[in-house]
Amino acid sequence: MKNIFTTLCFLLLASSIKAQTFDSLFLKAHITKLKNAKEYTLQVANLMPAEKYDFKPSKEEMIFGKQLLHISENLCWLSSSYLTSNPNPLTKADGKLTDKKDIILVVTKAYDFAIDALQQFPPSALADTVSFFAGPITKLQIINLVQDHQTHHRAQLLVYLRLNGIKPPAYVGW
């Protein structure tokens, strides 16, 4: 009986260590992805001429500059609401900027904030459930949403570049 108990304890400990390793690996991968996403998004932002920051392909779409601000607002909202106790660094005034240089500063600030939130995030909290407008989800799902949302809107920006005859930078997704 003692051997079975010892074996069970060892298996529980081993599975706990394995889970912690996978959780840490998940976070490390997402931190790297977000750092690369920051650099890629800034390349995209810098390629569009300042006079084209008000370009939009149709009346239903956001203008180029607003797409970048939307990415930034979402990065900070999700991070400050679900991943860190640090306050959202963006203001309502940031969301109304139109100047290319100012928008790029906001994008940089937003990515830095989200990266810092992930760097400080405890792997043990990945399975924590939070209330979200679409229903309860885990913080792991919030981290996936951070990635998916900014990728979705940045992809739209690549189309905006192409519609203006500008070749987007080579993709970096890892």
Side-chain angles (χ1 to χ4, degrees):
M1 188 67 151
K2 184 178 178 183
N3 285 343
I4 292 174
F5 179 74
T6 303
T7 302
L8 285 175
C9 287
F10 175 76
L11 290 174
L12 284 173
L13 178 63
S15 67
S16 175
I17 291 170
K18 189 172 185 179
Q20 290 171 8
T21 301
F22 284 135
D23 291 349
S24 295
L25 184 60
F26 172 85
L27 280 173
K28 184 178 176 184
H30 272 273
I31 291 165
T32 299
K33 285 173 66 172
L34 205 52
K35 286 178 179 179
N36 289 336
K38 172 190 172 186
E39 295 307 315
Y40 188 61
T41 303
L42 289 172
Q43 287 177 31
V44 170
N46 281 305
L47 278 173
M48 184 65 94
E51 65 273 9
K52 295 284 190 173
Y53 259 60
D54 63 351
F55 173 80
K56 62 180 181 176
S58 69
K59 65 181 182 176
E60 295 86 10
E61 298 293 328
M62 285 185 265
I63 65 172
F64 186 89
K66 182 58 182 168
Q67 287 273 17
L68 287 166
L69 291 172
H70 178 70
I71 290 168
S72 301
E73 290 163 338
N74 188 266
L75 283 168
C76 289
W77 168 65
L78 288 172
S79 296
S80 66
S81 297
Y82 301 103
L83 304 177
T84 182
S85 60
N86 294 333
N88 186 332
L90 300 188
T91 66
K92 290 197 185 282
D94 289 328
K96 296 178 181 174
L97 295 170
T98 57
D99 180 72
K100 176 179 177 173
K101 289 179 185 174
D102 293 337
I103 290 172
I104 288 174
L105 288 174
V106 168
V107 170
T108 302
K109 183 185 342 181
Y111 273 100
D112 288 345
F113 180 76
I115 290 164
D116 184 62
L118 282 183
Q119 288 172 330
Q120 304 304 318
F121 188 83
S124 61
L126 285 170
D128 292 355
T129 301
V130 297
S131 294
F132 196 67
F133 71 89
I137 62 174
T138 65
K139 290 186 177 185
L140 183 145
Q141 289 172 293
I142 293 289
I143 293 169
N144 283 331
L145 179 58
V146 165
Q147 185 68 32
D148 289 348
H149 183 268
Q150 55 96 32
T151 301
H152 164 74
H153 286 281
R154 191 183 53 239
Q156 291 176 309
L157 294 175
L158 299 180
V159 173
Y160 287 28
L161 289 176
R162 289 193 186 280
L163 289 171
N164 281 280
I166 301 167
K167 182 182 177 188
Y171 179 66
V172 176
W174 46 90

